[in-house]
Amino acid sequence: MTLERTLSIIKPDGISRNLIGAVIGHFERAGLRVVAARMRRLGRPEAERFYAVHHSRPFFASLVDYMTSGPVLVQVLEGEDAVRKNRELMGATDPARAAPGTIRREWGESIERNLVHGSDSLETAREEIHFFFGAIDVCDRTDP
Ligand code: CDP
Ligand code: MG
């Protein structure tokens, strides 16, 4: 296994329900480290670009409304097998189908309001990290 980085977003419902610490606790207990983080409110064009892959899906407009409805916390997580590990900790897209103990099963309200985003592959992770962060924003935490 190799050291990877992946993009995580705590979505507006996670922020408004004050679950930042709880969600990051899941990541930290599983051995992932936060190496960059920023709270911000996404603009509509930005949210549309971030989710461009879904632009023709029926849920697209509603997803953009939701993602721009309040601040989000965008983060870069680092660790062994970070992309897959983050997806595993998040659980399935639909909280009702997510495994017990996962973030979405624990706190997600619906298939849309499912609390967290996570990159789905190493290639997507690179693109998504670059979407929000420059090299200068990402801290090296591998040194003691
Ligand atoms: O986030 P994930 O990669 O698990 O799912 P996705 O298929 O890439 O969809 C992106 C986001 O769109 C989801 O996290 C949901 O917030 C939303 N979505 C939705 O509202 N309704 C669906 N049927 C599927 C996804
Ligand atoms: Mg996805």
Side-chain angles (χ1 to χ4, degrees):
M1 281 192 291
T2 49
L3 201 62
E4 293 177 357
R5 286 176 174 170
T6 190
L7 187 85
S8 164
I9 304 178
I10 303 181
K11 296 181 178 184
D13 52 331
I15 306 300
S16 64
R17 291 163 64 203
N18 223 16
L19 292 170
I20 295 172
V23 170
I24 293 179
H26 263 258
F27 298 144
E28 292 187 334
R29 279 193 297 279
L32 296 175
R33 297 180 291 275
V34 177
V35 292
R38 182 185 302 138
M39 186 180 282
R40 47 171 309 168
R41 180 124 184 204
L42 301 183
R44 278 196 87 78
E46 192 179 23
E48 286 169 358
R49 257 193 306 128
F50 184 76
Y51 279 118
V53 66
H54 295 308
H55 78 276
S56 57
R57 307 286 291 277
F59 59 81
F60 182 70
S62 177
L63 174 61
V64 170
D65 283 347
Y66 160 50
M67 290 301 290
T68 56
S69 66
V72 297
L73 189 79
V74 288
Q75 323 163 69
V76 178
L77 304 177
E78 181 185 79
E80 291 291 328
D81 209 13
V83 173
R84 191 197 53 77
K85 197 179 272 183
N86 179 39
R87 296 287 301 191
E88 203 172 287
L89 293 167
M90 288 162 57
T93 308
D94 182 356
R97 293 170 182 270
T102 59
I103 293 166
R104 284 168 164 174
R105 176 65 172 264
E106 202 79 3
W107 295 296
E109 286 178 338
S110 68
I111 194 164
E112 178 178 85
R113 299 175 72 84
N114 58 5
L115 221 95
V116 279
H117 167 86
S119 309
D120 61 10
S121 72
L122 204 49
E123 194 189 340
T124 313
R126 281 196 202 97
E127 290 168 11
E128 291 185 346
I129 290 168
H130 185 66
F131 188 94
F132 287 110
F133 296 101
I136 198 169
D137 302 314
V138 182
C139 297
D140 186 359
R141 290 188 53 187
T142 53
D143 290 337

